[in-house]
Amino acid sequence: MSALLEVKNITKIFPKVRANDGVNLTVEEGEIHAILGENGAGKSTLMNIIYGLYKPDSGELKLSGETLNLSGPHEAIEKGIGMVHQHFMLIPVLTVAENIVLGAEPGGIPYNKKKANELIREISKNYHLEIDPDAKVKDLSVGLQQRVEILKAFYRHAKLLILDEPTAMLTPQETEELFGIMRRLKEQGISIIFISHKLDEVKEISDKVTVMRRGKTVGTLNTKDTNEQELANLMVGREVVLRVDKSEYKPGDVVLSVKDLTVLDEQNIEKVKNVSFEIRSGEIFGLAGIDGNGQTELIEALMGLRQIKSGVIKYQNSDIEKLPTRERYKLGISYIPQDRQQEGLIMKFSIADNLILKEYKDSRYSKNGVIQYKKVFENASKKVEEYDIRPTDYTLLAGNLSGGNQQKIILAREVGSNPKLLIAVQPTRGMDVGAIEYIHKKLLELRDGGSAILLVSLELEEIMSLSDRIGVIHNGVIMDILDGKSATREKIGLLMAGSQIDSKEVEV
Amino acid sequence: TKQQQSSQSNNTTQNAKNKDFKVGLVTDVGGINDHSFNQLAYQGLEKAKSELGVTANFIQSKQQTDYVTNLTQFAQQKYNLVIAVGFLMKDAVEQVSKEFPDTKFLIIDSDITDRPNVASATFKTEQCGYLVGVMAGLMEKEKNSKLNDQNVVGVVGGMQIPPVDSYIAGFQQGVKAVNPDTKVLVSYTGNFNDPASGKQMALTQISQGADIVFHVAGQTGDGVINAAKEKNVYAIGVDADQNYMAPDTVMTSALKKVDVATFETIKNALNNNFKSGLVYFDLANDGVGYAKPIKDVPQSIIDKVNEYANKIKDGTIKVSDQVQK
Amino acid sequence: MSKVLKSIYMPILAVVIAIIIGSIIMLATGFNPVAAYASLFIGAFGTLPNIANTLANAVPLIITGLGVAIAFNAGLFNIGAEGQYWIGAIVGTWIGYSFKGLPWYIHIPLALIAAMIAGGLWGGIIPGFAKAYTGAHEVITTMMMSYVAIYFSHYLLEFGPMMEKGSVPQSPLIRDSAVIPTIVPNTQLSYGIVIALVAALFVYWLMYKTVWGYEMRAVGFNQRASKYAGMNVPFNIVLSLSLSGIFAGLAGAVQILGVQHRLYDSFTSGYGYTAIVVALLAKNNPIGVVFSALLFAALGTGSQYMQLNAQVPGQLTDVITGLIIFFVAADKIIELFKTMFKKQKKEELAS
Amino acid sequence: MKEILLNPQLWSATLAMATPLALPALGGTFSERSGVVNIAMEGIMLIAAFFAVLFAHLTGSAWLGLLGAVIVGMIVAVIFAWAAVTLTADQVILGMAINIFASGFTAYLLNTIFGFSGTPTDTPMLPNIDIPIIKNIPFIGQILSGNSVIVYLMIILIFASDYFLFHTNLGLRIRAVGENPEAAETAGINVIKLRYLGVALSGLFSAIGGAYLSIGLLNSFSTDMSSGRGYIALAAMIFGKWTPFGSFGAALLFGFATALSMQLQNSALSKNIIMMLPYILTVLALVGVGGKSVPPAADGVPYTPKK
Ligand SMILES: Nc1ncnc2c1ncn2[C@@H]1O[C@H](COP(=O)(O)OP(=O)(O)OP(=O)(O)O)[C@@H](O)[C@H]1O
Ligand SMILES: Nc1ncnc2c1ncn2[C@@H]1O[C@H](COP(=O)(O)OP(=O)(O)OP(=O)(O)O)[C@@H](O)[C@H]1O
Ligand SMILES: [Mg+2]
Ligand SMILES: [Mg+2]
């Protein structure tokens, strides 16, 4: 094997940070090379440099021994570098085909749609990435969007493929599929840079691992010679607890009771069908399922963001299905929505303002309609400290924080209000191990304090390590509710895929 | 210019004295390009400058609130005569003329009567409107390639305001006086600076049978004349002689001699003959009139028009300035 | 600190560039730029009456600008403030002349409040509800409603119910009890300026210190997150367009009661359009609106003076005003010059 | 009413009044599809209207007048693009600045070049075109034949624009840039260049619209003769959901309402009430159609390429 890509001493300085500080990296032909690092370690920055989006302040890039001086992504693409970005670079209103061929359209004038579709069908067949070229990207699930991103790279004949946190939003099945593809590519001699925060994934798929910390590469290891604990410690620079320590399960009274709930989506299709379950105080109820099986609709119905068709939602013994969202918050329900930037925060509000996004009308923060900023700032400085939000200047706009810290704002707001019921959707998506550790700790503290938690996650590992009971949803139906201790990965996986494991469920 | 130079050199001594006489002109928001009274007043001012040798200056107002400011500016700088163009400036002139009793003011198209230092020029445009109406009514009975056999004429107004309506009222009465069966279409475009809509408005009237269209619409009227030319019918111009715009089409124009009024007032003021109060400009003192018709208009019709002109002058015919619905 | 400094010196440098380009145009067309700018400045600030008139011109721009800024803060583009201004002016005038025997302290507030309500309804009822419930774009609805308002004023004045008996299409004069008194005699500066300044402080307080403002801004930045936070998004859309209309309506009434004293038949006041630039230039900050309104008012009064005293034709003053706005907006041109300058220096050093 | 609807002038006025709205609306579609809000179309129309007359007068050819107008219009558009795209200035403020500039600049040039009495009357006009066969069909012929050449040009441009925007690679790229410039850039597209293209096209179309006013419908320029059409075109473009046919449809609706208000002038209703018709009809249509118009996602948002 010979070196495909050599990164030598790359430094990139942003106004406030040295995002890359003398980075070195070598990627061989046909290898899968994982990059590990905490949030903000500089991984994405490095990838953007390789892809020609950023210009490094110093250092050198070599591709197949030839020095690269990229003036922009178009040149990187020409040289055979493809990249799937951490935040998807897709255009929702365009079709799959249009997204894929954009910038390298067959035909030109006129743009040959038929040819484009043909080419895409061909590639998707070759790589086993089935997709409908005429579908609008906005109608696709996250997993399929990912597929579009990957197809984009193949369409341009990439020989080096960069995947920046591709699995953060995938279901376990989708992740497995992706790994299959990656292995096939590797056989074809394509090199892959794979970024992930998930150590088990890195362990499973990569040949080599390079760990970054604070803009520097701290070492490259052969995957088979290392273990998860070592990688975690190297990444964070300290000893990390990987196992969750959970106290005993002591369920209390029923806090939330859902009975025969049916919810429709925008097209009037039943997305939640006759769902019933209960959550008690002092328990974490995990809801496992593949994305798009009704979780979103269920949660929105619970929060009053979506009308229900039929059924009863009882909270502490009173019906709440008619209450507007705000009233539900007032009753002590908290909510960590799935998309922190679009649903959880006002990016152009300060940290302090975001911390009162649901309580600004509360007498604690406003009097006669006037917001008491002294109180608001007191609250902010307390929360910033308590939840380790960085930077600590709470007058900064939320949009200026990294994703991890944005999530901490939401956590501080939703957990900090000591809710009786917390609905948390994907609370750790895209977080590094350090941050995940922290969030898990907070959730467990809340549970031990007697709150009820509904945890929705695509991350089986997370569901299994935190939940006291696990409900599995498939196609709008809760297939089964399992005991957290005895549930196995396989069992849940099968339920998620829609197969009944025993006749018990059918009888009920 | 040669003529001007010679006339200037003839009265150099006179001019030196006249140069100290300062005249300021404030346009309304229509600006000097309005193809209407602002422009004519400006022409009068220019004439006074070149022929009388007075010092002349003007400001174009951009918004309502500029009127007081601009009038005050001239008054403060000791201008002898300040001309305010347009009835919109009435309040402003009343206010500023009170504050500067030593400055003389002329306001066009208004009726301030109670100030010793304010003259108001009022134009009896219903009279010239009447005359071109008579001409149009009579032409309807003629036969030529531009005239159809429907008995319809049209007027396109800008906004529905008195200086426009007096023309239209006169026109209606004039037409009816000689040809009672004629249908007079009256439309307004709602603006003075949109010739495109003026053209379509005129085309609409022409499609309804009008073969003579009179416009009282400032720059919007450019479109009316263009439409008439395109459809090979007659147009009648307004304010100044607009025949130059389409020599075979504009059969005559109703004249409102704001330039004359301006020039005369300047001259009178210069000669210490300033008359305050209402000053009427009508057919009798040649303050309004009609432009020389093109040769398509038979002499017999012109004679008839002049007959009516005399009747108006001697008071036998009284022309109303109220538009008939 | 450097941020504050930057936010001040950038626009100033931009104005300087606009002035230089304006000078070139004037020189090319045979005018003396020094005299022109001197008289522009004197016209705007040279004497007490000039300052007063500049302030007076700023009043409607400040108040309308506040209205536009409220909508922008809520993520809405109220391009029809002009029409709401007219509605306010109409109602203010009507109350001003038709109510007899009221003391001023009732008459003036009555006229202002009625105008505010009318402007608020004009901006809120149709554009607001249409936006909130059918998604109809507010740029279309407010613009169309604006034209309707202007034609409505023509209808009222041109031989309509509000025309003063006599012959000229204008309303009767408002009664003395409705007149907002003048501060500096022989100028147009009335106590309307106080209303404008109080309004600016009020809007600042409303948008940044109250629950309402918090909600409107949240909805403006991110409707989805606001909905998730339990806010009533449609209500806030209606509210912000209504408030926007309320201030535009107030501006119309203040202008009538303080300066014009009656309604004239005219095409546009132009304030509604200038107010958009005023608000944007102020980055929709209510306090900033006061200063950017002053800039435009100064350009307005100064340019009238410039016509007379530097003989610069009125149209050329528009050209220069346009240039100044252009370069104030494109203030990054300064950075461009800076980098050009640096490059040159580098090249010099290299050679 | 039947009589009015059967008057061919109603329909040809509809077409004539729709043309100077549809052209800038079409231009705006390109600009906004690429992510730049162009409120300067009003000013560009006005400037183009003036230079169309000036060049037509100087060269004696209306066609060269049109060419000159288009060149000047595109120059102004490119200056706008430079400030809006390269310098990332606020697009609405810039647009307003250009409109104020245009109003003063054209009036100033009008006076200094032609004096106060207006542009020369011998200025050539663009021809009206008779369409063979169609012209002989009663009623239809009177509407569809004999219009200004610009009307036909506009119709061709609408089809061409639709084709360009939705069936060519460049069109796809322009739309991508207006939706998500970052994504477009990562696909190797030059965002800045395409935004310049979008704005330049809006200059081109607005300029043709301006020339139509001055040398298509007429053969003269008068001050502020664009009369706010650039703004109404903006509304038509939004109403038309940022598509060429939609913009044309909205322009036709507005043109129809205007033409109808002209026909209704002789009714007993107050003229000023009748003149509200186009505006009220537009609002009603918009609300009635339930016209949720969603702009391109990155419309009006300046983009700074990564460095
Ligand atoms: N465009 C930018 N401007 C300024 N600073 C930036 C920019 N992009 C990234 N940074 C900073 O550079 C550092 C590295 O960021 P980068 O996105 O590369 O981290 P990362 O390792 O990819 O993190 P994550 O795991 O969260 O994706 C961070 O401190 C970030 O704040
Ligand atoms: N264009 C920019 N200008 C200035 N700062 C930026 C810019 N883009 C990103 N940043 C900074 O980069 C940091 C990280 O941004 P980024 O979007 O890469 O976060 P992230 O990698 O998604 O974080 P996480 O992995 O925690 O989710 C933030 O601190 C932000 O301030
Ligand atoms: Mg990253
Ligand atoms: Mg990142």
Side-chain angles (χ1 to χ4, degrees), chain A residues 12 51 53-55 73-74 77 85 89-91 93-94 98 101-105 108-111 152 156, chain D residues 163-164 166-170 172-173 175-177 179-180 182-189 303 305-307:
Chain A
K12 175 75 187 170
Y51 191 60
L53 264 173
Y54 291 161
K55 274 212 162 47
H74 57 281
I77 294 167
H85 291 262
M89 293 296 175
L90 293 173
I91 295 154
V93 298
L94 298 185
E98 287 170 335
V101 302
L102 183 65
E105 305 83 355
I109 301 178
Y111 148 60
K152 238 161 98 178
R156 291 143 198 258
Chain D
Y163 184 78
F164 177 70
F166 297 108
H167 299 280
T168 68
N169 57 350
L170 221 50
L172 177 64
R173 290 177 190 190
R175 286 184 290 140
V177 163
E179 288 289 340
N180 187 345
E182 217 178 344
E185 193 184 358
T186 59
I189 290 172
Y303 179 71
K306 302 262 163 48
K307 263 174 259 152

Side-chain angles (χ1 to χ4, degrees), chain D residues 53-95:
Chain D
V53 169
L54 179 66
F55 287 122
H57 168 68
L58 291 180
T59 62
S61 154
W63 291 106
L64 291 177
L66 178 63
L67 184 69
V70 161
I71 291 171
V72 175
M74 285 178 74
I75 290 174
V76 178
V78 168
I79 292 171
F80 169 72
W82 171 70
V85 178
T86 306
L87 299 181
T88 64
D90 187 296
Q91 296 164 7
V92 176
I93 305 184
L94 286 177

